[in-house]
Amino acid sequence: KQEVTQIPAALSVPEGENLVLNCSFTDSAIYNLQWFRQDPGKGLTSLLLIQSSQREQTSGRLNASLDKSSGRSTLYIAASQPGDSATYLCAVIRGLGGGADGLTFGKGTHLIIQP
Amino acid sequence: DAGVIQSPRHEVTEMGQEVTLRCKPISGHNSLFWYRQTMMRGLELLIYFNNNVPIDDSGMPEDRFSAKMPNASFSTLKIQPSEPRDSAVYFCASSRQRNTEAFFGQGTRLTVV
C-alpha cells in the first residue's frame, strides 16, 4: 500500500527566505505526482503536476522536483511571502496496471511566513 | 469554467438523518473522485468514477455510504443513516482522464450531532 510522508509537518520562517518542503513515497511505481496548496477552510488548489517521466516542473517562484527511484519529491519556494502561508500537500497517483487510481495524499506541511 | 462545484458548503444534521452531498465536475472531465478529509486521517479517497461508471469504491467506509453519477455533469454522495463519526470535510475532484491533473471543489463541511 502506497504511503506518502511529508516533512516537516510545520514550518515557520521569516518573509523573503527560500525554503524546501519534502515529500517521500514508498512505492516508486507512480504515474505522476501533484503538489497542492490548501488555505484554512478552503479547497485544494493545484500548484504543480510532475509526470513520472519528468524530473521537475516550475511555476513562478515554485519549483518541484521528482526522483522516482528514491521515492522523493521536493517543493522549492523562492523569496517567500506572507501570502504563501498555507498547508502544502503532496499526492501521488499509482502507475497503471495495479492498485487503486486516485491520489494518495501526505498529511501536509503547515507553512507560516512571518511578515 | 467555474471549476468543480459542490453543494452545500456546510451541512449540520442530526444523527440518523440522511445526508446528500452534490458535485458538478468540470465540463469535459471524464473522471470524478470523492475524498474525505479529517484531522486524524488526512485526505482519503472514497470512490471514483470514470465515464460515469464507478471503478473503485474500496474506500467507502461502510454500507451507509453510497455514491452515484447519473450523468457526466452530476454526482451525489449519500450517507444514510448519518453518524457523528461521519463529521468531516468531503471533497469532490475531477480530472480530464483518470491519471491526469486533478481539480478540487471547495468541499462540504459535514457536522453530524
Side-chain angles (χ1 to χ4, degrees):
Chain A
K1 178 186 173 184
Q2 177 75 271
E3 292 184 3
V4 180
T5 303
Q6 291 188 246
I7 295 173
L11 182 64
S12 180
V13 300
E15 180 178 4
E17 282 200 8
N18 302 323
L19 52 97
V20 175
L21 308 182
N22 297 293
C23 171
S24 62
F25 44 94
T26 54
D27 185 347
S28 63
I30 65 167
Y31 194 78
N32 60 38
L33 183 145
Q34 197 166 352
W35 281 94
F36 294 87
R37 167 188 174 135
Q38 185 174 27
D39 293 283
K42 304 288 187 181
L44 280 68
T45 301
S46 178
L47 297 174
L48 290 164
L49 173 79
I50 311 177
Q51 295 182 354
S52 60
S53 58
Q54 297 175 318
R55 295 299 299 268
E56 65 179 298
Q57 281 284 350
T58 298
S59 175
R61 294 182 295 106
L62 304 179
N63 176 276
S65 67
L66 174 64
D67 184 343
K68 217 174 77 163
S69 61
S70 68
R72 294 180 185 176
S73 176
T74 60
L75 180 67
Y76 176 84
I77 303 176
S80 58
Q81 302 171 359
D84 295 331
S85 298
T87 296
Y88 290 80
L89 294 155
C90 167
V92 298
I93 293 181
R94 284 191 63 141
L96 298 178
D101 282 351
L103 292 159
T104 300
F105 282 87
K107 294 288 181 66
T109 293
H110 181 55
L111 176 65
I112 296 175
I113 307 297
Q114 306 155 8
Chain B
D1 199 312
V4 177
I5 299 173
Q6 291 186 246
S7 64
R9 291 293 310 277
H10 302 274
E11 177 81 36
V12 180
T13 190
E14 291 186 349
M15 178 174 142
Q17 296 297 307
E18 176 180 298
V19 176
T20 300
L21 312 181
R22 297 172 175 79
C23 175
K24 181 183 185 329
I26 294 173
S27 177
H29 283 195
N30 296 326
S31 293
L32 182 139
F33 307 84
W34 283 99
Y35 291 86
R36 178 170 69 176
Q37 185 176 38
T38 61
M39 289 292 292
M40 288 294 294
R41 301 173 68 90
L43 272 154
E44 301 174 290
L45 177 67
L46 299 177
I47 186 171
Y48 85 93
F49 295 83
N50 197 50
N51 293 321
N52 311 339
V53 176
I55 302 299
D56 185 356
D57 65 355
S58 60
M60 297 284 261
E62 299 173 36
D63 291 344
R64 299 183 296 105
F65 287 69
S66 62
K68 294 183 179 180
M69 191 164 186
N71 56 63
S73 59
F74 185 66
S75 176
T76 59
L77 177 68
K78 185 179 293 187
I79 308 173
Q80 164 66 16
S82 58
E83 296 183 4
R85 60 194 168 119
D86 302 331
S87 297
V89 181
Y90 290 81
F91 286 103
C92 176
S94 70
S95 61
R96 193 167 296 279
Q97 298 175 15
R98 59 199 290 175
N99 287 332
T100 58
E101 187 175 10
F103 296 87
F104 281 69
Q106 292 295 298
T108 295
R109 181 173 296 277
L110 173 65
T111 303
V112 183
V113 298

